Amino acid sequence: MVCLGNICRSPLAEGILTSMVNPEKTEVSSAGTGGWHVGNQPDPRSIAVAQKNKIDITNQRGKQFSTYDYEVYDHIFVMDSANYRDVLKLANTEAERAKVSMILDEIFPGEAVDVPDPYYGGDNGFDDVYKMLYEACEKIVSRLTL
Ligand code: 4NP
């Protein structure tokens, strides 16, 4: 799960998908394309909306996406089109490029819909993001049988 800062959207996506998969079969992680928040806890507003939905993301720490992630993970879900471009820049092969998709393609295939960045908005933004990510993660789990 990849966003820009790895403190708002992708930590929520990581927490939601983790809550839905068999941990013996599937490893879920998240990262940001930017490095400003490496080592930081998720944004308190993401922690709060997760908590409200019985998901604990307080143990997550910010990471920056790297080429190494292409070797480790089979699927890379990005939150918006800027993330998509930045992540693809780090791909070395066609097989790596094929791992990347916009997460809301799960709900709106081929429409390139962004998960809006709630960082500069109010708390409502986080509830909306949670709902979108929850729906997308349900599709991911059933499509990939995780
Ligand atoms: P995120 O939101 O990409 O959903 O984690 C952001 C968080 C921090 C910044 C940008 C986006 N920032 O510029 O610090």
Side-chain angles (χ1 to χ4, degrees), residues 3-11 36-37 79 83 116-120:
C3 64
L4 175 59
N6 192 214
I7 54 168
C8 296
R9 293 166 293 175
S10 59
W36 314 282
H37 299 286
M79 302 294 131
N83 308 150
D117 192 340
Y119 186 59
Y120 297 105

Side-chain angles (χ1 to χ4, degrees), residues 31-128:
T33 56
W36 314 282
H37 299 286
V38 169
N40 293 354
Q41 243 192 353
D43 187 285
R45 295 165 295 176
S46 281
I47 290 176
V49 77
Q51 231 148 33
K52 214 159 73 177
N53 290 281
K54 312 254 183 300
I55 291 175
D56 182 8
I57 62 169
T58 57
N59 289 331
Q60 292 186 30
R61 294 295 178 271
K63 298 184 287 298
Q64 186 168 18
F65 184 83
S66 79
T67 52
Y68 177 69
D69 293 308
Y70 275 114
E71 293 171 34
V72 176
Y73 297 100
D74 298 322
H75 304 278
I76 297 164
F77 297 100
V78 299
M79 302 294 131
D80 64 33
S81 51
N83 308 150
Y84 189 72
R85 182 196 61 216
D86 292 339
V87 162
L88 280 186
K89 271 188 213 151
L90 297 175
N92 288 310
T93 65
E94 204 45 53
E96 289 182 351
R97 276 187 275 278
K99 293 182 176 186
V100 186
S101 65
M102 302 266 290
I103 192 165
L104 292 188
D105 272 10
E106 301 294 331
I107 309 171
F108 309 108
E111 292 185 35
V113 180
D114 291 343
V115 178
D117 192 340
Y119 186 59
Y120 297 105
D123 290 349
N124 276 353
F126 285 77
D127 282 308
D128 292 343

